[in-house]
Amino acid sequence: MKWLSRFSFHRRLQFTFLILILLPFVVVTFWSYTSVRENVSEKIARSNEETLKVIGSQIEKTVDNISFVSVYFSEAYDPAVLESLRYLQDTASFGNYRVYTHYNKLRTTANILSVQSLDADLQIMLVNRENRVLIGSQEYPVFSVLPEALLQESGRLDEREKVSLQWFPYGGTPAAPDYYYAVRFIADPLNQDKLATLYVGIPSHYFRSLLDTGNAGSRLSLLDQQGRNIAVTGEAGLTDEGAMLVSETRIPKVGWLLTGKTPRSSIDSHINREFLVSISLIGLFFLAFLLLSMLWAGYINKPISLLRASVKQYVGGNRAVRIPVQGKDEVAVLSGAFNQMLDDMNGLLQQVESEQEETRRLELQALAAQIRPHFLLNTLNSIKVDLLLSGDEPHGAMIDALMKLLRVYIHVDKPLKLAEECRVLGSYVQVMQIRNRLDIAFECAVGEAEGEVMLPRLLLQPIVENAISHGFSARPEHPAIRLEAVMEQDLLKISISDNGRGMPEDKLQRLNRRLQGHEDPALWPDKGVGLVNTARRLQVLYGYRARLSAEAGPEEGMTFTLYIPVHQEKEAAALDDPDAD
């Protein structure tokens, strides 16, 4: 190392700088390149896997939609659909009006079911035993015979399988079929005779749009359980598996395999290009920094010391400290930027203090909003006490009933026992009879077990309100409402009867159709909205077994009956009906 003594201290400092900085930089650069190459490959592989999962999830949703359509037709949830399938099982043309009626029923059902799969552009066809199209498209009109090629493909399927979907490709080429069909054979639930065959075709452009990730160098393919191609996108000439990143995911419900392949060469070339540019730029900056740092070290040291001292003062609490700006060189720019940063930090601190003050104000407002309902209840309670002390018991009772209703409305999102709901209805009737100047007799016949069943709050109020508003509009002499609840196996039956004016038979039938969702709401504008909402609320909470029906009373008035599925623990099974679709 004696040869270094021939150089000046400045040169020796430069040599030391080169040895201590440049050599580690080269080592780190090489290590970084290797690490980045592996990390990028892993990230691209994970990204491809996530992309395949997203595509597989979308395909699985489409398969679920197809399964739903097939289950709806094959399991005969709608008796009218089953009747139409039986009537049209051997029909070949529009021979009479009944044929058109049953066809229209099937077409309406198919249109409703196809709404949830519009994005997939599914081709839904329902074919009877005579291979006549009942529900088709422009390509396959009604009562036309299926093409021979399609019949041959579907003829290879097992007609004894009436539970699971069966799949096959159709049209195009083996590498890219035009459609991929799901087939389900529909049998009569009484004798298991074949009624019809449901074809649901997924077009090839749907798969291509899903598999098109925008990367032309990647190859995505979708294979069925038999290894047949469903769809392929990207470069078709990639054959060397070792030179590619391969990602796979399987769609469990149908067993399809989704594969993505990306050539490693495209990844490496991109990394090499980017890394070479980065190394070149860093090398240039490194050389410039090496020269300038040695020349300007002493000149820059003084302002940096001043900057360090100013930072310490600012951290110590002196927010007014600033660095004097002299000249127009880089140090002056740095000093000005530092001063600007201090000004910005002061502004941010003031903004944070202002936001904290605003947050405290909003919290106080929220507390005030929570206090208002309790303030109103306390005020009403004071009025009730004054009325009772002054001997005005009717108005005091009305205020008490109104307070009970307000307490229920405050906690409307919490369930309530049926017995408690009856007491709430009693308070509601008490308010309504004073409001409408009627002497209404309200009776609840609820057993101990039935009274423990938990129900959503205010579920029964629209029915009682309907009885008072419409049933007693003629103001009978002795208006009465009776609520009765009994358990019938796993169903809670709640009957609400009144002795009002009742309803004509034709309107009663239309009301029941509307409660069951079989009639267009536009035909009954502004009538029965509360009853219809109650019926829909039952089906949403408890499934298709829950329902609301209306019938004429034994002598006069109306009787509304609610059927609600109940657990063995005597609690309403909201959103937990095992037989609900």
Side-chain angles (χ1 to χ4, degrees):
M1 299 295 292
K2 294 182 178 180
W3 61 274
L4 288 176
S5 61
R6 294 178 296 175
F7 298 96
S8 63
F9 178 78
H10 179 69
R11 298 300 179 188
R12 281 183 285 173
L13 183 61
Q14 285 182 323
F15 288 141
T16 305
F17 187 82
L18 286 173
I19 294 173
L20 297 180
I21 300 298
L22 187 57
L23 183 60
F25 175 77
V26 173
V27 175
V28 170
T29 300
F30 178 79
W31 175 83
S32 299
Y33 172 77
T34 306
S35 177
V36 167
R37 183 176 180 274
E38 295 299 324
N39 290 336
V40 170
S41 299
E42 292 178 1
K43 289 182 179 179
I44 291 178
R46 288 196 298 267
S47 176
N48 291 341
E49 292 176 358
E50 293 297 326
T51 301
L52 294 182
K53 289 181 181 179
V54 171
I55 296 174
S57 176
Q58 185 63 35
I59 295 176
E60 196 168 21
K61 290 180 181 178
T62 302
V63 173
D64 287 340
N65 293 336
I66 295 175
S67 299
F68 173 76
V69 173
S70 68
V71 168
Y72 190 91
F73 277 106
S74 61
E75 300 297 336
Y77 288 106
D78 191 343
V81 173
L82 179 60
E83 180 183 358
S84 299
L85 290 174
R86 288 170 176 168
Y87 189 86
L88 300 177
Q89 60 183 340
D90 297 316
T91 305
S93 63
F94 287 105
N96 53 57
Y97 182 75
R98 290 193 63 190
V99 172
Y100 174 77
T101 302
H102 288 293
Y103 157 74
N104 194 46
K105 174 61 181 176
L106 293 178
R107 184 184 64 180
T108 302
T109 303
N111 290 339
I112 294 174
L113 294 176
S114 63
V115 168
Q116 62 181 349
S117 58
L118 288 177
D119 57 338
D121 195 20
L122 300 179
Q123 184 185 74
I124 300 177
M125 294 189 298
L126 190 63
V127 182
N128 64 10
R129 294 192 306 189
E130 297 298 324
N131 294 325
R132 297 282 183 168
V133 177
L134 301 179
I135 301 298
S137 60
Q138 294 181 355
E139 184 179 357
Y140 302 104
V142 180
F143 293 123
S144 63
V145 180
L146 281 182
E148 186 65 24
L150 186 57
L151 289 175
Q152 290 179 358
E153 290 292 338
S154 60
R156 299 188 179 96
L157 304 179
D158 185 5
E159 291 191 2
R160 295 173 298 178
E161 177 58 56
K162 298 181 176 63
V163 177
S164 301
L165 289 172
Q166 301 184 62
W167 301 84
F168 68 90
Y170 176 73
T173 62
D178 293 335
Y179 281 90
Y180 200 79
Y181 277 99
V183 178
R184 186 158 186 174
F185 299 100
I186 303 173
D188 195 317
L190 296 180
N191 52 24
Q192 295 301 313
D193 288 341
K194 179 181 175 182
L195 293 179
T197 305
L198 178 67
Y199 293 83
V200 182
I202 307 177
S204 59
H205 62 79
Y206 168 74
F207 291 114
R208 288 197 299 269
S209 63
L210 279 182
L211 300 182
D212 185 12
T213 61
N215 186 358
S218 297
R219 174 189 173 94
L220 273 71
S221 60
L222 181 62
L223 306 177
D224 61 10
Q225 285 183 312
Q226 288 75 31
R228 297 174 296 189
N229 279 329
I230 300 177
V232 178
T233 61
E235 295 289 341
L238 300 176
T239 57
D240 188 2
E241 297 291 338
M244 292 185 292
L245 289 174
V246 181
S247 302
E248 293 181 347
T249 184
R250 190 169 291 277
I251 303 174
K253 292 189 177 181
V254 289
W256 297 350
L257 180 64
L258 187 60
T259 305
K261 299 178 181 179
T262 303
R264 290 183 178 271
S265 58
S266 63
I267 301 174
D268 293 342
S269 62
H270 181 73
I271 295 175
N272 293 339
R273 184 170 56 255
E274 295 293 332
F275 209 81
L276 181 60
V277 173
S278 300
I279 291 296
S280 301
L281 293 176
I282 293 175
L284 293 175
F285 281 110
F286 180 83
L287 293 176
F289 174 74
L290 176 63
L291 296 175
L292 294 176
S293 62
M294 301 304 296
L295 294 174
W296 297 93
Y299 180 80
I300 295 177
N301 183 64
K302 183 178 180 180
I304 290 178
S305 299
L306 180 60
L307 177 63
R308 182 178 59 184
S310 301
V311 170
K312 289 183 178 180
Q313 294 182 36
Y314 188 86
V315 173
N318 183 10
R319 295 187 181 180
V321 65
R322 295 294 183 272
I323 299 176
V325 179
Q326 299 177 355
K328 297 182 180 180
D329 55 7
E330 290 81 358
V331 176
V333 174
L334 177 61
S335 301
F338 181 77
N339 292 337
Q340 181 63 40
M341 182 184 68
L342 296 182
D343 294 336
D344 294 341
M345 291 177 63
N346 288 338
L348 289 174
L349 290 174
Q350 293 177 359
Q351 181 180 354
V352 169
E353 293 173 355
S354 176
E355 290 176 353
Q356 290 177 348
E357 181 64 27
E358 180 68 15
T359 301
R360 287 193 292 270
R361 185 179 66 83
L362 292 176
E363 289 176 351
L364 291 176
Q365 290 180 356
L367 291 174
Q370 295 177 0
I371 293 172
R372 290 191 188 104
H374 300 287
F375 171 76
L376 179 59
L377 289 173
N378 293 335
T379 303
L380 290 175
N381 186 57
S382 300
I383 297 174
K384 181 190 75 172
V385 173
D386 291 341
L387 290 173
L388 293 177
L389 291 177
S390 63
D392 192 351
E393 294 185 0
H395 290 88
M398 181 179 181
I399 295 296
D400 185 63
L402 182 59
M403 290 172 58
K404 293 178 180 178
L405 288 178
L406 287 176
R407 290 191 180 97
V408 174
Y409 293 151
I410 291 174
H411 305 286
V412 70
D413 57 332
K414 297 180 180 179
L416 195 67
K417 294 181 180 180
L418 178 57
E420 294 293 334
E421 181 75 5
C422 288
R423 285 190 280 271
V424 173
L425 289 176
S427 300
Y428 176 75
V429 171
Q430 184 178 359
V431 172
M432 293 300 291
Q433 68 180 358
I434 295 176
R435 174 183 173 186
N436 294 277
R437 295 179 174 84
L438 289 172
D439 187 10
I440 303 173
F442 180 70
E443 179 183 0
C444 278
V446 178
E448 181 178 355
E450 290 81 0
E452 294 297 319
V453 175
M454 302 297 293
L455 295 176
R457 297 192 182 211
L458 306 178
L459 179 66
L460 308 178
Q461 179 179 321
I463 302 176
V464 177
E465 180 181 359
N466 181 77
I468 298 174
S469 301
H470 301 287
F472 299 154
S473 60
R475 309 187 70 81
E477 293 185 2
H478 303 289
I481 299 176
R482 175 180 173 82
L483 187 149
E484 184 177 358
V486 295
M487 294 295 300
E488 295 183 353
Q489 295 181 355
D490 60 341
L491 289 178
L492 174 64
K493 177 182 177 182
I494 303 176
S495 300
I496 302 177
S497 305
D498 64 77
N499 60 349
R501 64 179 183 178
M503 182 180 293
E505 183 64 24
D506 58 339
K507 291 186 177 180
L508 182 60
Q509 294 179 1
R510 292 185 64 189
L511 175 60
N512 277 313
R513 289 197 299 270
R514 192 179 181 200
L515 293 178
Q516 296 172 9
H518 296 162
E519 186 166 324
D520 188 357
L523 300 178
W524 284 56
D526 301 330
K527 292 185 179 180
V529 176
L531 297 176
V532 173
N533 288 343
T534 300
R536 291 179 179 174
R537 190 179 180 192
L538 280 175
Q539 292 183 351
V540 169
L541 291 175
Y542 303 107
Y544 78 98
R545 296 182 62 203
R547 65 186 186 275
L548 171 64
S549 62
E551 60 182 351
E555 297 180 358
E556 56 183 353
M558 296 284 295
T559 298
F560 291 89
T561 306
L562 297 90
Y563 296 90
I564 303 175
V566 175
H567 280 313
Q568 294 182 357
E569 292 81 0
K570 303 300 182 184
E571 294 186 359
L575 293 176
D576 196 24
D577 186 358
D579 298 325
D581 183 14

